[in-house]
Amino acid sequence: MAGLTTGGPNVDVSLLYEVNGAARRAPAWLDTAVGTAGEYGILLALVLLVLWCWRGARRQEESAAAETFTALVWAPLAAGLALIVNVPLRELVGRQRPFRQHEGLQVLDPGWGVGLGNTEFSFVSGHTTVAMALAVGLFVANRRLGTLGIGLALAVGVCRVYMGVNYPTDVIGGLALGTAVVLVLAPLALALLSPVVRAVAGSRRFRRLVRAGDRARPLPVDLAQPQTPPAGRRPQDKDLAA
């Protein structure tokens, strides 16, 4: 591994070859599964996790539901903002993809160049950035689901290195960037979004986006309240007349 770098051993490149080397020993179906997961599969799972959290949040008490919904709105916005920040950062660093710099890598992404954030530069990993931003935003809304989301974001990073399209430090940078954008801007973002969410929650047309309404359930026929008999007539008079 040291011969592939200049100036001595490079832990980043060595770890890249170690992780990516597993792709050569793994069966083809596993490589396909990892490539699909690292490209879009895990990101889709994170989106579904956010939607699942939203579904549960709508059943909360009104103020709690509005607070959770605000955080869930911020999560995808932060992910998009982090991806935008990543564009000039990549141009500034200008780090080539690992398979363009080192021979013998097993590249598992057949659609390289068309996927999310796939450019000729690799630092920082766009997939990992978006995944971590979604996960940390989800963590702000729900710690249990957010912890699961952070685990999925870490899995995205491992997949990207396994696929041979990112260095380990590209992944670390993506994790840091996604986390920083969410947490640093969260106070301002939540303060700006809260009035909007409260307005939505108070509107007649869109309030169900924030909280599920309480639906009145009709009484069964046999549980309907008995009618009061007319004045001067006993309840049993009806039975005697029959």
Side-chain angles (χ1 to χ4, degrees), residues 124-195:
V124 297
S125 169
H127 287 73
T128 311
T129 299
V130 171
M132 195 61 176
L134 284 174
V136 175
L138 181 60
F139 185 84
V140 174
N142 185 298
R143 291 191 177 184
R144 181 174 59 86
L145 293 178
T147 301
L148 176 59
I150 291 173
L152 291 175
L154 294 174
V156 170
V158 174
C159 288
R160 301 300 290 178
V161 178
Y162 184 95
M163 294 161 63
V165 295
N166 283 110
Y167 293 96
T169 48
D170 298 338
V171 169
I172 295 173
L175 297 173
L177 178 60
T179 301
V181 169
V182 174
L183 297 184
V184 171
L185 299 180
L188 176 61
L190 296 180
L192 294 176
L193 290 172
S194 292

Side-chain angles (χ1 to χ4, degrees), residues 101-128:
Q101 298 291 317
H102 307 287
E103 298 180 354
L105 291 174
Q106 179 82 358
V107 182
L108 301 181
D109 186 3
W112 184 86
V114 297
L116 174 65
N118 281 340
T119 67
E120 61 178 323
F121 300 130
S122 67
F123 186 90
V124 297
S125 169
H127 287 73
T128 311

